[in-house]
């Protein structure tokens, strides 16, 4: 994977508009972080480059980007502004869901409209009564002829107020079991959002993720035609783990770049004398390259799964995707913390070009986004059934 802004698609061609989107993200990153505001500049640049529709099929107006293509964009954005990168990653987790399960049948017109309008997709998969358990819901879809209504009390909906659609999980109906879930695409124009919380956090501040009471009335055809358990296992969880990890790798890229700048500055002043920082930089490169290899392998594994046409992942695949999230969420901390130690006091200052403040704060978020403890608990159940 190439973390540079001139990254190429899987067929070797450059990704038009990526460099512009990365520059827009980088220029606003400091203000996005300070003000905990949405990264409008980066998202507008992504829309201009038609990168929000890029994972949707060509046949309905998208570009049929492969997962590796999306990962390159996510990594480039992550190196410039991790909030912008996370918005891109979370959006495409939903877009890939529509690409795989919403490109035919009654919902296809909606998916085509989303592609044509470069619509931004958010998700509401948690609920105040179920915590972080996305595999169950208390709220339910209520059907009345061709229309459905839903009320959902979600503790977190990232960038909800800026999204064109929110993909919300709920029980199939009021008599359904908590685990019998569907995914409903809620248009902003027919959805109300009442804030139930605030968003003043250490990192990823531009994702703007307070809680909301969501109320919507929309068409029955906006319910995806497959159960949410299938969507989560084969699309939503592996897509989030691979694209999030790519963003976090971008954060590590930015940290290593700053560390390298610091060592080069020190080398110019050393006048040929041995430089202890150079050995530390070499050690940091090993950790960074191992991180890169881990993410690349995970992206390739998920890409192969999608292109195989499989719907139900194996236990081994699910464990591997979970392990990618666990490994990436801890590797980013190791890279960023070691880069800060190498840079020294200038990295600790918030008013210096080598400041590591935002990168350090952002690096601690990944282990909390779907708690690592929850994922380990899930793995502990899966390995009992795994036969290799």
């Amino acid at each position: 994977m190439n973390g540079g802004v001139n990254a190429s698609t899987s067929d070797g061609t450059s990704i038009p508009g990526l460099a512009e989107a990365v520059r827009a993200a980088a220029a606003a990153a400091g203000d996005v972080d300070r003000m905990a505001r949405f990264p409008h500049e980066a998202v507008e640049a992504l829309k201009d480059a038609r990168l929000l529709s890029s994972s949707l099929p060509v046949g309905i107006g998208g570009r049929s980007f492969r997962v590796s293509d999306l990962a390159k964009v996510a990594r480039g954005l992550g190196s410039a502004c991790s909030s912008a990168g996370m918005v891109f990653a979370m959006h495409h987790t939903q877009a890939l869901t529509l690409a795989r399960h919403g490109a035919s049948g009654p919902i296809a017109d909606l998916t085509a409209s989303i592609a044509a309008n470069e619509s931004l997709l958010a998700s509401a998969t948690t609920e105040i009564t179920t915590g972080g358990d996305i595999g169950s819901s208390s709220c339910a879809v209520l059907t009345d002829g061709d229309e459905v209504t839903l009320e959902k009390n979600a503790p977190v909906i990232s960038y909800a107020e800026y999204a064109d659609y929110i993909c919300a999980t709920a029980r199939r109906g009021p008599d359904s079991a908590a685990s019998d879930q569907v995914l409903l695409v809620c248009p902003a124009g027919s959805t109300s959002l009442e804030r139930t919380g605030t968003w003043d956090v250490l990192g990823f501040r531009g994702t703007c993720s307070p809680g909301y009471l969501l109320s919507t009335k929309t068409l029955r055809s906006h319910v995806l035609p497959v159960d949410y358990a299938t969507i989560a296992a084969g699309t939503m969880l592996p897509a989030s783990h691979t694209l999030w990890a790519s963003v976090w790798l971008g954060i590590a890229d930015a940290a290593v770049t700053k560390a390298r700048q610091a060592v080069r500055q020190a080398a110019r002043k050393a006048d040929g004398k041995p430089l202890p920082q150079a050995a530390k930089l070499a050690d940091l490169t090993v950790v960074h390259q191992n991180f890169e290899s881990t993410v690349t392998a995970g992206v390739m594994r998920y890409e192969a799964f999608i292109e195989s046409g499989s719907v139900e992942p194996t236990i081994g695949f699910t464990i591997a995707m979970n392990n990618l999230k666990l490994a990436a969420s801890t590797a980013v901390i190791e890279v960023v913390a070691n880069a800060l130690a190498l840079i020294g006091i200038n990295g600790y200052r918030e008013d210096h070009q080598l400041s590591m403040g935002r990168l350090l704060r952002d690096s601690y978020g990944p282990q909390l986004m779907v708690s690592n403890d929850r994922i380990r608990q899930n793995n502990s159940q899966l390995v009992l059934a795994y036969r290799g």
Side-chain angles (χ1 to χ4, degrees), residues 326-351:
L326 295 173
S329 64
T330 53
V332 64
I333 296 173
E334 184 177 7
V335 172
V336 174
N338 286 342
L340 172 61
L342 195 158
I343 294 168
I345 191 63
N346 286 336
Y348 200 66
R349 292 172 55 182
E350 291 281 38
D351 60 350

Side-chain angles (χ1 to χ4, degrees), residues 194-274:
E194 178 185 341
R195 278 203 191 196
T196 58
T198 59
W199 186 249
D200 188 7
V201 290
L202 287 175
F204 295 132
R205 289 169 58 79
T207 60
C208 303
S209 307
Y212 295 93
L213 179 61
L214 177 151
S215 301
T216 192
K217 184 176 183 178
T218 188
L219 296 176
R220 186 178 182 179
S221 61
H222 289 186
V223 177
L224 268 73
V226 297
D227 61 275
Y228 178 68
T230 298
I231 292 170
T235 305
M236 199 168 287
L237 291 180
S240 63
H241 291 340
T242 51
L243 296 182
W244 288 359
S246 299
V247 175
W248 306 337
L249 180 58
I251 296 173
D253 292 339
V256 171
T257 296
K258 289 193 175 192
R260 188 178 294 113
Q261 290 173 351
V263 173
R264 286 175 174 170
Q265 290 172 7
R268 285 193 290 269
K269 297 177 182 178
D271 195 25
K273 296 178 182 178

Side-chain angles (χ1 to χ4, degrees), residues 33-381:
D33 179 63
R34 282 190 300 274
M35 304 304 294
R37 70 165 178 85
F38 185 68
H40 296 284
E41 300 85 350
V43 173
E44 287 304 314
L46 291 169
K47 289 183 177 181
D48 290 343
R50 298 200 61 78
L51 287 171
L52 291 186
S53 62
S54 57
S55 64
L56 295 172
V58 168
I60 58 171
R63 296 166 68 179
S64 294
F65 268 26
R66 304 173 75 185
V67 174
S68 54
D69 301 328
L70 298 173
K72 290 169 186 174
V73 179
R75 181 177 180 179
L77 289 170
S79 69
C81 172
S82 47
S83 289
M86 289 303 295
V87 170
F88 178 85
M90 289 186 282
H91 162 83
H92 277 289
T93 298
Q94 307 309 311
L96 282 168
T97 295
L98 290 175
R100 300 195 74 201
H101 305 292
S104 60
I107 200 171
D109 287 343
L110 174 64
T111 304
S113 177
I114 287 170
N117 295 313
E118 286 294 299
S119 300
L120 181 63
L121 307 175
S123 69
T125 55
T126 55
E127 198 167 351
I128 201 73
T129 54
T130 60
D133 180 11
I134 65 172
S136 63
S137 294
S138 297
C139 64
V141 172
L142 302 179
T143 303
D144 183 8
D146 291 333
E147 293 184 329
V148 294
T149 58
L150 173 65
E151 289 192 358
K152 183 182 180 82
N153 193 349
V156 171
I157 307 179
S158 294
Y159 57 92
E161 295 171 41
Y162 309 95
D164 299 298
Y165 297 88
I166 298 174
C167 302
T169 52
R171 286 182 294 142
R172 188 178 304 275
D175 297 326
S176 301
S179 60
D180 183 12
Q181 297 168 286
V182 293
L183 191 68
L184 172 65
V185 183
C186 310
S190 57
T191 301
S192 67
L193 294 167
E194 178 185 341
R195 278 203 191 196
T196 58
T198 59
W199 186 249
D200 188 7
V201 290
L202 287 175
F204 295 132
R205 289 169 58 79
T207 60
C208 303
S209 307
Y212 295 93
L213 179 61
L214 177 151
S215 301
T216 192
K217 184 176 183 178
T218 188
L219 296 176
R220 186 178 182 179
S221 61
H222 289 186
V223 177
L224 268 73
V226 297
D227 61 275
Y228 178 68
T230 298
I231 292 170
T235 305
M236 199 168 287
L237 291 180
S240 63
H241 291 340
T242 51
L243 296 182
W244 288 359
S246 299
V247 175
W248 306 337
L249 180 58
I251 296 173
D253 292 339
V256 171
T257 296
K258 289 193 175 192
R260 188 178 294 113
Q261 290 173 351
V263 173
R264 286 175 174 170
Q265 290 172 7
R268 285 193 290 269
K269 297 177 182 178
D271 195 25
K273 296 178 182 178
L275 195 66
Q277 295 97 313
K280 292 181 179 179
L281 179 62
D283 292 341
L284 180 61
T285 301
V286 173
V287 178
H288 180 249
Q289 288 183 345
N290 287 339
F291 184 9
E292 181 180 46
S293 297
T294 298
V295 175
T296 300
V299 168
M300 293 298 101
R301 184 189 291 264
Y302 182 43
E303 184 166 279
F305 170 79
I306 288 180
E307 296 181 358
S308 72
S310 299
V311 176
E312 294 291 338
T314 64
I315 293 176
F317 173 84
T318 301
I319 292 172
M321 290 294 101
N322 285 345
N323 286 341
L324 169 62
K325 195 275 182 181
L326 295 173
S329 64
T330 53
V332 64
I333 296 173
E334 184 177 7
V335 172
V336 174
N338 286 342
L340 172 61
L342 195 158
I343 294 168
I345 191 63
N346 286 336
Y348 200 66
R349 292 172 55 182
E350 291 281 38
D351 60 350
H352 196 278
Q353 64 176 357
L354 294 179
S355 173
M356 296 289 291
R358 175 169 58 85
L359 297 179
L360 186 68
R361 287 184 285 103
D362 287 344
S363 72
Y364 277 89
Q367 62 184 325
L368 308 175
M369 299 175 58
V370 184
S371 165
N372 280 5
D373 287 342
R374 183 180 292 275
I375 291 178
R376 290 190 181 97
Q377 181 62 34
N378 185 28
N379 270 356
S380 72
Q381 300 300 314

